[in-house]
Each structure stands twice: as structure tokens, then as C-alpha cells.
Amino acid sequence: MADNIPSMRRNSANALATAVGVWPEELWPKILPRLEKTLPEVLMQPEHSETFTDYTPSGPFSVPKSKTLSLEERGKADPEFIDQVMYSCGSSAPKTFKERRARPKDTGCMNCAATAPTQLWEASEGMVHLLTDLASFASSTGSEKKLEQLTALLPSLSKAFACSQYRHHHLLKQRLCERLPEITKAFGPRLVPYLPEFLKTLATCAGQGAHRALKQEASQVLKHWKQTFREEELLRACQDASLDAKVLQLLG
């Protein structure tokens, strides 16, 4: 769930949540501590965060693409990765038997032994997906105890949402906005006490213009909340967050 490919983070979280649904007694006690530990790790993310964007699509017709690096980055680069072809699976060679026979050593999808350092913000994003899927599972099965345990993590979730000290913070914010309607449905009234902190970040995301996708997702969440929560709950949340109530009118 800390993979450098966004779809892998989300799909891994969903797979684990599905497994928890099948074996709740065995897995829940193991998953919850990891969720508690990893969700707020983005707070320790250094300013110079990274994303996994410079790769070549896998396949026999792929054309390797050289990764552009500054002199400073090149001096710090890991030789396991620098000047090597990187494919969409994250490996250093395609998964084709023809290529494998021609290689002097086993590398690539089936024999990848090199891993890049984990980005803390990506690990936290994986936990956002896991929390969402677990909450949906707990809500659908009527497990009040599990929902209460997950509700205790909402302060950590709001802090991770607000975290902005690293370069790619808008990506985590966007992914969390994408999942907030599901989180809202799963937690229901339990989310109300935490609305002020979420509203602060949502208003900032919806009001900025640098990241259009984030702006759209945040605006959609605000519209969804206007339809979900009572007006007095949202007005009180705005007051507690020191926000002008007009933010709800402008974005609704």
C-alpha cells in the first residue's frame, strides 16, 4: 500500500480490506495498529517529495525514455535505478521471455531485487484507501465496535489531509477528496465533530487555482456535504473552523 504507483496503492488497500471481510477475527487486530501507525506518517514527509511518473509502458513495443535529472539529483541517484529503463510495473526490465534469455542476469517483473525508498506521503495515501474500505466494510456489516475504532483515527486523517509541507501534497489531498464521499457515508453522524478541521482544508483546496483536479474534487465534496449534513451542522462547523459561511454558498 506504499507502492509508488497510485493504482497499486488503492487496489492493494481494497484487496486487504476484502481479506479482512473474510477473516475479520484474524486480521483486524493486526491491521488496526498498522493503520494507526502509518496514516499520520505524511507529517514526517520531507519537503522534496517524489512521484513515480517517468516510466516506459511495459510491452514488446515499448520505447525506453531517458529520465531527466538535474546535476544535483544525478549525484545523489541510486545506481540501481539511474540510466536504467523503468517500466510501468516499476521493474527494470520487461516481462518477456525473449528478453529474459538475452539478459546476463535475471531482472524485471519476476526477479526484481531493487526497491526505491518509500515516500511517506504515499504510505499515508495507502492508509487513506484502507481506512475508507474498512469503514465501508464495518458500516455495511453493522459493526459498531469496528466503526468506533476507526472513528478514533479521524483526527489523524484530518491532520494528514491538512499537511502541506511537501511538494506533492496536492496529490494526497486530491485522493482523499475522491474518497471523502465514501468516508462520509460510512461514518455518518460520527464525522460531524470532525467537520471543522476537514472544512478548513476543503475550503483551501476548493479556493486555490494551481491544481484544477484538486479544486474540482474539493468542490464536489462540499456540494455532497451540503446535501448530506443539516445546515446548522455545517454552519456550526464553519464557525468552529473560523470560516465564513459563504464558502458553502459559493461552492454549493
Side-chain angles (χ1 to χ4, degrees), residues 82-94:
I82 188 66
D83 292 331
Q84 302 293 325
V85 179
M86 187 68 74
Y87 292 83
S88 59
C89 61
S91 70
S92 298

Side-chain angles (χ1 to χ4, degrees), residues 85-121:
V85 179
M86 187 68 74
Y87 292 83
S88 59
C89 61
S91 70
S92 298
K95 186 169 58 178
T96 57
F97 290 104
K98 181 179 179 181
E99 288 289 333
R100 183 173 179 178
R101 286 196 298 269
R103 293 197 301 270
K105 64 177 182 178
D106 286 334
T107 58
C109 296
M110 305 303 292
N111 296 279
C112 187
T115 56
T118 298
Q119 294 286 298
L120 296 177
W121 74 269

Side-chain angles (χ1 to χ4, degrees), residues 2-240:
D3 196 273
N4 51 11
I5 302 177
S7 60
M8 288 291 290
R9 296 194 288 272
R10 181 159 183 168
N11 292 339
S12 297
N14 182 259
L16 183 54
T18 300
V20 171
V22 178
W23 300 287
E25 299 303 323
E26 294 84 355
L27 294 181
W28 188 268
K30 298 178 181 179
I31 297 303
L32 194 62
R34 179 177 178 182
L35 191 55
E36 293 172 343
K37 175 182 178 295
T38 310
L39 180 60
E41 283 189 351
V42 65
L43 300 176
M44 299 180 288
Q45 172 67 51
E47 178 183 355
H48 298 291
S49 57
E50 298 178 1
T51 57
F52 184 63
T53 55
D54 295 318
Y55 63 82
T56 302
S58 299
F61 304 107
S62 301
V63 178
K65 174 186 175 183
S66 299
K67 183 174 182 179
T68 303
L69 295 175
S70 67
L71 292 177
E72 181 181 359
E73 291 175 324
R74 187 170 290 274
K76 298 178 180 178
D78 188 331
E80 287 279 1
F81 298 97
I82 188 66
D83 292 331
Q84 302 293 325
V85 179
M86 187 68 74
Y87 292 83
S88 59
C89 61
S91 70
S92 298
K95 186 169 58 178
T96 57
F97 290 104
K98 181 179 179 181
E99 288 289 333
R100 183 173 179 178
R101 286 196 298 269
R103 293 197 301 270
K105 64 177 182 178
D106 286 334
T107 58
C109 296
M110 305 303 292
N111 296 279
C112 187
T115 56
T118 298
Q119 294 286 298
L120 296 177
W121 74 269
E122 292 177 336
S124 290
E125 184 196 308
M127 294 299 106
V128 168
H129 294 308
L130 182 60
L131 174 61
T132 304
D133 293 334
L134 289 177
S136 297
F137 158 71
S139 176
S140 64
T141 57
S143 177
E144 294 295 323
K145 181 179 179 181
K146 288 182 173 60
L147 272 177
E148 287 297 332
Q149 290 175 314
L150 294 175
T151 300
L153 298 177
L154 289 177
S156 292
L157 183 65
S158 66
K159 290 178 182 178
F161 189 28
C163 198
S164 300
Q165 85 280 3
Y166 58 104
R167 185 169 52 174
H168 297 96
H169 65 91
H170 63 281
L171 294 177
L172 177 57
K173 288 180 170 65
Q174 180 183 331
R175 307 273 160 64
L176 209 158
C177 284
E178 292 170 357
R179 304 307 303 264
L180 267 175
E182 296 171 74
I183 292 172
T184 303
K185 180 180 179 181
F187 286 100
R190 291 180 176 84
L191 188 61
V192 173
Y194 308 97
L195 287 180
E197 294 304 317
F198 282 103
L199 269 176
K200 284 182 184 178
T201 308
L202 275 173
T204 301
C205 293
Q208 56 82 40
H211 308 288
R212 181 178 298 179
L214 172 59
K215 182 182 181 72
Q216 292 175 344
E217 292 294 339
S219 298
Q220 288 299 318
V221 174
L222 288 170
K223 292 177 182 178
H224 177 73
W225 279 7
K226 285 192 68 176
Q227 298 171 356
T228 303
F229 297 108
R230 298 195 305 271
E231 182 178 0
E232 56 267 27
E233 291 175 332
L234 292 175
L235 290 175
R236 189 182 307 115
C238 284
Q239 292 176 352
D240 293 343

